[in-house]
Amino acid sequence: MRASTPPLGNLPPRGTPAAEADVSPSAAAGRAALGGRKAVLITGASSGIGAEVASRLSAGGRWELLLSGRDEGRLGEVAARTAGTALPMDLASQQGCRSLAEAALAHSGRVDALVAAAGFGWAGAYTDMTPAVVNRLVSVNVCAVLHLVNLLLPQMVSRGSGRLVLIGSVAGRLGVRGEAAYAATKGALIPFAESLRYELQGTGVRLCLVLPGPVDTPFFDRRDAPYTRSWPRPLPAGRVAAAVEDALTGDRDEITVPRWLGFPARLQGMAPHVFRRLAMRFG
């Protein structure tokens, strides 16, 4: 995060306060319109967890909602319901991430918080996966998160404040039968978050990783494989949204939803052989 790093597209140079380096003439007006609110960019906001987060944050009136998703129709409905701004974008490419960051900064002049909720799933034998599916999983679940954080974090650090909330998965902590690639992509966020926290000490920017278990959303329909396990049962997306709100306002580094799913992770760490035997039998 050196000040000498070249600018990324139309984004302010790294180390330059967004207040002094707007990306468009409309940014000053956008900042004025925020009043006392903070701007939060929510990806994956057209449905599922992202949409629930938008609904929950809209209720308090504390946040200016910048909402991104691929489905323009559904995203528009969520934006209308939450008084948010729709910024439709496909995050499977680096250029899509750059365009979203530029659009968010151009609209509001700053992004005070990022909720990275966009995600892509696939279930089945790994030998049945095509390279195209593998690439999209990695692009959306891993690369998009890293790119957006890379684009938005320098302005947060230069201001001395900001929030990063990354939506991982318990699958990334434990591994799940039939979801090897998906678990790998979500697992990649765990060391990324842990490592980045060390860099953020003393900067005023906080990072929280939210690890949900299975969630009752259209996620399973879109991956063309319904959730069939008898345990654990999918929880409402609203519970994850509540955890995200806690992550945005509290000081926790990691939140597992529901909390009891943290126990299998502890068992895996303390007694991996026992955990694997149980997982083979019941997983």
Side-chain angles (χ1 to χ4, degrees):
M1 300 177 193
R2 296 168 295 180
S4 59
T5 304
L8 295 174
N10 292 326
L11 293 181
R14 291 171 184 258
T16 301
E20 298 175 5
D22 292 337
V23 295
S24 79
S26 64
R31 281 202 315 275
L34 288 179
R37 295 181 297 169
K38 294 183 177 181
V40 56
L41 174 60
I42 305 171
T43 67
S46 56
S47 66
I49 293 172
E52 285 294 328
V53 171
S55 297
R56 188 173 185 92
L57 295 185
S58 70
R62 297 175 55 189
W63 297 95
E64 170 77 7
L65 303 181
L66 306 175
L67 310 178
S68 182
R70 282 198 306 150
D71 190 314
E72 292 192 35
R74 290 188 304 188
L75 184 66
E77 293 172 1
V78 175
R81 186 176 72 247
T82 61
T85 298
L87 301 174
M89 197 68 64
D90 186 346
L91 300 181
S93 69
Q94 183 178 355
Q95 183 55 49
C97 297
R98 178 190 296 276
S99 297
L100 175 58
E102 291 174 350
L105 289 170
H107 180 273
S108 298
R110 60 190 286 164
V111 173
D112 298 287
L114 169 67
V115 177
F120 175 63
W122 195 91
Y126 187 67
T127 52
D128 292 338
M129 292 190 75
T130 65
V133 174
V134 172
N135 286 341
R136 185 164 184 85
L137 271 171
V138 175
S139 296
V140 175
N141 295 359
V142 183
C143 294
V145 177
L146 270 62
H147 286 318
L148 284 173
V149 170
N150 182 251
L151 291 165
L152 297 173
L153 181 58
Q155 289 76 37
M156 294 182 182
V157 171
S158 68
R159 287 195 306 269
S161 66
R163 294 278 177 157
L164 300 171
V165 180
L166 312 184
I167 308 299
S169 172
V170 169
R173 177 75 76 186
L174 302 176
V176 178
R177 187 202 312 255
E179 299 181 35
Y182 172 76
T185 61
K186 289 300 186 179
L189 299 182
I190 296 173
F192 172 66
E194 191 68 29
S195 301
L196 190 56
R197 284 193 201 99
Y198 298 132
E199 297 183 31
L200 297 178
Q201 288 183 353
T203 66
V205 180
R206 295 196 62 89
L207 185 155
C208 183
L209 179 65
V210 177
L211 299 174
V215 185
D216 186 10
T217 71
F219 175 88
F220 297 110
D221 297 331
R222 288 197 296 269
R223 74 176 190 177
D224 296 323
Y227 185 81
T228 58
R229 294 184 176 88
S230 59
W231 178 88
R233 298 307 304 161
L235 64 150
R239 287 191 59 184
V240 184
V244 170
E245 185 174 36
D246 290 343
L248 286 169
T249 58
D251 58 2
R252 296 177 64 181
D253 292 332
E254 186 172 303
I255 302 175
T256 301
V257 190
R259 183 177 297 180
W260 66 265
L261 276 178
F263 173 75
R266 292 192 292 273
L267 176 62
Q268 185 186 48
M270 294 184 295
H273 297 297
V274 173
F275 173 85
R276 290 187 191 112
R277 284 199 296 269
L278 291 173
M280 290 295 293
R281 180 175 180 182
F282 299 108

